[in-house]
Amino acid sequence: MTGDGFMGPPWQMDWTLKAQAVRDALPEHVRKTIDAVRAELVTAKDPYFRGVDTDADLPEGMKVQPVRSDLPKGSRVFLFDHGHGWLHYTFVRRTEDPQIIVEEIFWQ
């Protein structure tokens, strides 16, 4: 636990069955990119990348933004492959076992 009572990274990650099925059906090079996205998320100090330029340290072609700008603590979309794919997720911040839940994956 950290000083504020919450656990820190690495975070747990869970996938909805639909998101996992989509990921498993993608080409291998895309799955490897999604694995890199996963690594960025589970090790991020704040998986919501809140604030100005907080996602500036992400590899080229990756960006995080809120799904709705009026819900700053809501779902996020992690764009990857220069916008050709995205991963929609939420972060459940609990004192015990906080986790990232991947709800949807898309790649074209």
Side-chain angles (χ1 to χ4, degrees), residues 1 5-7 92-99:
M1 291 224 175
F6 289 97
M7 296 176 72
V92 182
R93 188 174 176 107
R94 300 181 287 232
T95 302
E96 289 188 34
D97 194 29
Q99 67 180 342

Side-chain angles (χ1 to χ4, degrees), residues 18-59:
K18 182 179 176 182
Q20 184 67 50
V22 169
R23 182 215 174 270
D24 293 346
L26 292 171
E28 183 179 352
H29 74 281
V30 179
R31 288 193 312 267
K32 287 182 180 181
T33 302
I34 291 171
D35 290 344
V37 168
R38 180 191 180 282
E40 293 292 337
L41 281 172
V42 299
T43 60
K45 182 177 179 184
D46 178 4
Y48 273 172
F49 295 90
R50 288 180 278 248
V52 177
D53 291 332
T54 54
D55 62 358
D57 292 334
L58 291 174

Side-chain angles (χ1 to χ4, degrees), residues 22 33 46 79 89 100 106:
V22 169
T33 302
D46 178 4
L79 303 168
Y89 70 96
I100 297 165
F106 176 81

